[in-house]
Amino acid sequence: MQHFWAIQMADWLDQIKWTEDGLLPVIAQDAQTGDVLMMAWMNAESLALTVDTGFAVYWSRSRQSLWKKGETSGNQQKVHSLLLDCDGDTLLLKVDQIGGVACHTGRRSCFYFALESGQWQATTPVLKDPAEMYKS
Amino acid sequence: MQHFWAIQMADWLDQIKWTEDGLLPVIAQDAQTGDVLMMAWMNAESLALTVDTGFAVYWSRSRQSLWKKGETSGNQQKVHSLLLDCDGDTLLLKVDQIGGVACHTGRRSCFYFALESGQWQATTPVLKDPAEMYKS
């Protein structure tokens, strides 16, 4: 059975069109409100872990390591559903955002610089103090 | 005045963290329903054109050319707002999806393969016949 499961796993993972670096762009969306929370990357291992654990695990390109979302901050993302796009090269991850904050700045969503009058203007309030989130 | 405007343009474009290839991943979201419609790429020229014209213009990596979304299919995207993320390397484009269909398969959204029981299962109906959309 373990062998059969491994083959199945490889199958759905193999159907993804990974980048040359073996990565996949992933859009995290709040399953309840529809808010787009962030965009990050996964490799095959992090995607398999995401499915296995039911919580979002990304691949940090800057640290070149697995990034269990919320491990430090507590802002975990419980997986609601996974949707691959028509080209098989982008994933939409619908999540329940634990604590309501996805961004390291303490905002709900990472997308908060609106282009207004030719300038990027910060919108949306800081809900949690980053110093509190990352004090550990 | 033209000169001043050009400097302003360069400024907000320069604040974006482009990839080494000079590209930016862009998530298109329906401004009314919150549906995530697609993910595509822009270069500086296509983003400037998007802002100037008020309609989404992407950069086709496969064709290496500007891609005026909907030019052939009619599925244009009228820009509602532009939101850059905390890292300055991903854009969320809120749009009014003309005709209600974003995907070249005739579906509303490109994200329609749901992972269920270890397989990508096509969900959501085809709303427009692709043969009709692309008959030119």
Side-chain angles (χ1 to χ4, degrees), chain B residues 30-97:
Chain B
D30 189 299
Q32 311 304 324
T33 64
D35 291 341
V36 175
L37 301 172
M38 55 184 280
M39 202 278 268
W41 297 79
M42 290 188 184
N43 63 3
E45 185 184 3
S46 66
L47 179 50
L49 280 169
T50 297
V51 171
D52 279 0
T53 63
F55 286 88
V57 179
Y58 298 102
W59 175 255
S60 168
R61 294 179 304 168
S62 56
R63 292 192 300 270
Q64 288 286 300
S65 62
L66 290 173
W67 164 26
K68 293 184 186 176
K69 171 72 180 165
E71 194 173 33
T72 312
S73 64
N75 303 333
Q76 289 179 297
Q77 295 176 333
K78 189 168 175 9
V79 175
H80 184 270
S81 55
L82 299 97
L83 291 158
L84 194 64
D85 77 339
C86 53
D87 297 325
D89 65 2
T90 310
L91 188 70
L92 178 62
L93 193 66
K94 298 203 178 187
V95 302
D96 297 323
Q97 178 61 60

Side-chain angles (χ1 to χ4, degrees), chain B residues 2-56:
Chain B
Q2 186 62 30
H3 182 60
F4 175 70
W5 176 84
I7 289 170
Q8 267 205 333
M9 285 291 287
D11 200 37
W12 67 265
L13 285 170
D14 284 350
Q15 285 166 5
I16 291 169
K17 280 193 205 147
W18 305 93
T19 66
E20 285 184 7
D21 298 329
L23 299 178
L24 176 74
V26 179
I27 302 159
Q29 181 182 31
D30 189 299
Q32 311 304 324
T33 64
D35 291 341
V36 175
L37 301 172
M38 55 184 280
M39 202 278 268
W41 297 79
M42 290 188 184
N43 63 3
E45 185 184 3
S46 66
L47 179 50
L49 280 169
T50 297
V51 171
D52 279 0
T53 63
F55 286 88

